[in-house]
Amino acid sequence: ITDGKVGLKILSNLADRRLVRAAVSIPYERLGTSELSGEAVAEGIAAAYRFAYADPHRACTHNKGVMNGIDPVVLATGNDWRAIEAGAHAYAAKS
C-alpha cells in the first residue's frame, strides 16, 4: 500500500511492561488424592515455590513447568507459543 520496505515484522517479544497476574483459590478437599490430604498437596506446592524463589537452577525448571501449563492454552487459542515462551524466558532472565 505504501510501497515501503519492510525491515522487521516483529520488533520484540519482551513484554516487561505488559504483565498479567492471575490468582486462583482451590479448596483443600479438591487438591487431595488417595495418598495425600489437600493440605499436604497445598504445602507441597508452596514448598516448591519457595525452593524456586531461592534457587535459580530450580527456578528455571519450575518456570518450564509453569510454561507447560500455559503453552496448551496459547496453542488452543491460536496464538504463537514461541513468542510467549521467548517473552517469558527473557523476563525471567532479568532477575
Side-chain angles (χ1 to χ4, degrees), residues 28-29 31-42:
Y28 285 139
E29 58 269 12
L31 290 175
T33 69
S34 62
E35 298 176 4
L36 293 171
S37 70
E39 291 88 351
V41 172

Side-chain angles (χ1 to χ4, degrees), residues 10 13 67 70-85:
I10 298 172
N13 286 317
M67 294 310 298
I70 292 172
D71 286 345
V73 175
V74 173
L75 284 169
T77 57
N79 289 286
D80 184 356
W81 65 271
R82 298 161 303 169
I84 302 297
E85 287 268 348

Side-chain angles (χ1 to χ4, degrees), residues 17-67:
R17 295 190 181 112
R18 295 175 300 196
L19 298 180
V20 174
R21 299 206 189 308
V24 65
S25 178
I26 302 172
Y28 285 139
E29 58 269 12
R30 300 288 295 183
L31 290 175
T33 69
S34 62
E35 298 176 4
L36 293 171
S37 70
E39 291 88 351
V41 172
E43 180 49 42
I45 292 168
Y49 165 79
R50 291 189 298 271
F51 187 9
Y53 185 81
D55 184 274
H57 294 90
R58 176 58 207 170
C60 178
T61 303
H62 188 83
N63 290 345
K64 178 59 182 137
V66 170
M67 294 310 298

